[in-house]
Structures are given as structure tokens and as C-alpha cells.
Amino acid sequence: MDGIMSKGSLASLATVATVLQFLTGTVICNRYIRKKSTGDTSAFPFISGFLSCFMWLKYGVLTEESTLILVNFIGSALFFSYTVVFFIFCVNKREVIRQMMVISCIILSATLYTLFETDDEKSIRVIGLLCCCLAVLFFASPLTMLAHVIRTQNTDSLPFPIIMASFFVCLLWTAYGVLIGDRFIQIPNLLGGILAGIQLTLYVIYPKKKASFSGGPRYSPLVSENPIL
């Protein structure tokens, strides 16, 4: 793999691609600001994105991986900003506060554990496993959408650009994980890439129907707001 792409160039490519993916949240927040309302959407994608980035940032600090530190520091800052914007314009602020308290407890528990655990290798394994679990839960969230697509045999509810971006970002991080020999990076991103690939195959199985002038039924695409690491 060193002959195909060096660690530095792969790290740079993965960082740029991931940050660009994180920045898609600005489009959603801009819509909230224009409407001065979040409607019936949930803050959970932003809050879970912040939790995921923060935990990967902690893992990067423990393993001294500068690439993980940089990309997840940026991701943590962006998702925290998105959460603040959501909180300002949402109606049910109590629910946002409740979700923030839950992830704050997780972050505090993980931080205290790493502070008092004297075995550095054990700390890395525990935090890495926690990051893996969070990533797998995040990547598994579209499964309900897949069931809807298969049932309706229509892919309009799947955001093609986001899925395609997720597919390539996951492949980049999987390759980076293989390059540095880190299974905690390899496994969740490989699973995420496989899931994104499955979603892409649905576009082949159920191609989008061309617009009809006969006044038949039309479908409104549902835009996914889940941020992907």
C-alpha cells in the first residue's frame, strides 16, 4: 500500500474528504436560520456527531495519531456549533438539553476513566472499543430507511450525494486503518463502507423514475441529516 499511496497523502485525503462531509451540516443549519425554526427535525444527528468526534479525538490523543486529532477536533467544533444553532431555533429545548446531558455523562465517564487508568494500553483498548460501538450504531441507523426503500421500491428517500461521499470517506479511513495497523479504525469504517455500498446498489435495483408529465404520483426526497465520520 505504501507504493500506491503514502501515509501522509492518504491521511491528507481522508482529512479533507471528512471535513467536507462534516461541512454539509452548514447547509442544514442555514435552512434553520432562514426559517427561524428547526421544524420537527431532531438534534440527535448533531449531538451524536459531536459525541462521536469527541470520542475519536480522545482516542487520537491516546494513540498520538495526529490525523485523528486534527479531523475530529474540527468535527467536534463543527457539530457543537450545529447543536447550538439547533438549540436556538428549536421549540423543544428540554429534549436537546436532555440529550446533551446524556452524552456529557458518557464523555465525563470516559475522561475520568482515562485519567485514573494507569495502564495506557488498556485505556486505548477501552476507548477504541467505545468508538467502534458508537460508529457501528451510527452506521446502522439507515437500516430503517433501507427497509422503507425495499418496501416501496423507490430510492427517492435516499440522499445519493451523501451516501456516495460516505462510501469514499469510509474506504479512505479503512485504508488508513490498514496502513497504520489499527483495527479500531478499520472495522467500523469497513462496516460503514459496506452499508453505504448496499445503499448504492439499491439505486441500480430500483432506479429513479423519470419525471412524468401525466400528473402521476411524485415523491419528495427525504434528506438525511446524519453526520458521518
Side-chain angles (χ1 to χ4, degrees):
M1 185 170 291
D2 286 330
I4 299 175
M5 185 175 289
S6 68
K7 176 182 176 181
S9 57
L10 182 58
S12 299
L13 187 57
T15 298
V16 171
T18 307
V19 171
L20 288 176
Q21 188 180 44
F22 288 159
L23 287 172
T24 57
T26 59
V27 178
I28 299 169
C29 287
N30 186 51
R31 185 167 71 241
Y32 294 156
I33 294 171
R34 287 201 318 269
K35 293 183 177 180
K36 299 189 183 304
S37 172
T38 61
D40 58 355
T41 58
S42 171
F44 185 72
F46 291 152
I47 294 175
S48 61
F50 172 73
L51 174 62
S52 178
C53 286
F54 189 90
M55 294 310 302
W56 280 110
L57 173 60
K58 182 170 288 295
Y59 181 76
V61 171
L62 291 173
T63 57
E64 299 181 348
E65 273 295 328
S66 58
T67 303
L68 284 179
I69 293 173
L70 175 61
V71 71
N72 287 290
F73 176 80
I74 295 173
S76 297
L78 285 173
F79 284 119
F80 183 78
S81 300
Y82 299 155
T83 303
V84 170
V85 171
F86 188 98
F87 182 79
I88 292 172
F89 293 103
C90 74
V91 175
N92 191 1
K93 289 181 169 54
R94 182 175 298 180
E95 178 63 19
V96 178
I97 293 173
R98 186 187 67 81
Q99 292 178 3
M100 285 299 295
M101 289 180 64
V102 170
I103 71 159
S104 295
C105 290
I106 296 174
I107 290 172
L108 180 60
S109 299
T111 301
L112 290 175
Y113 171 76
T114 56
L115 285 175
F116 292 103
E117 177 56 65
T118 56
D119 188 342
D120 292 340
E121 290 297 324
K122 186 177 180 181
S123 293
I124 291 173
R125 288 196 302 271
V126 171
I127 298 301
L129 183 60
L130 177 59
C131 289
C132 275
C133 292
L134 290 172
V136 170
L137 287 174
F138 170 75
F139 288 134
S141 61
L143 289 176
T144 54
M145 188 67 73
L146 296 186
H148 170 75
V149 170
I150 294 172
R151 186 172 62 254
T152 61
Q153 297 186 1
N154 187 284
T155 55
D156 282 344
S157 60
L158 295 178
F160 180 80
I162 294 177
I163 296 172
M164 181 62 74
S166 298
F167 178 73
F168 283 111
V169 167
C170 286
L171 287 185
L172 288 172
W173 282 109
T174 301
Y176 185 76
V178 171
L179 191 61
I180 65 174
D182 192 323
R183 65 183 183 277
F184 291 122
I185 297 177
Q186 298 170 25
I187 295 173
N189 284 288
L190 178 60
L191 293 175
I194 292 172
L195 181 57
I198 292 173
Q199 293 179 81
L200 291 175
T201 60
L202 292 177
Y203 283 92
V204 179
I205 300 173
Y206 307 120
K208 287 191 175 185
K209 297 177 175 61
K210 294 183 179 180
S212 173
F213 296 99
S214 61
R218 301 178 65 184
Y219 299 88
S220 298
L222 301 177
V223 179
S224 171
E225 296 182 357
N226 287 336
I228 304 174
L229 175 64

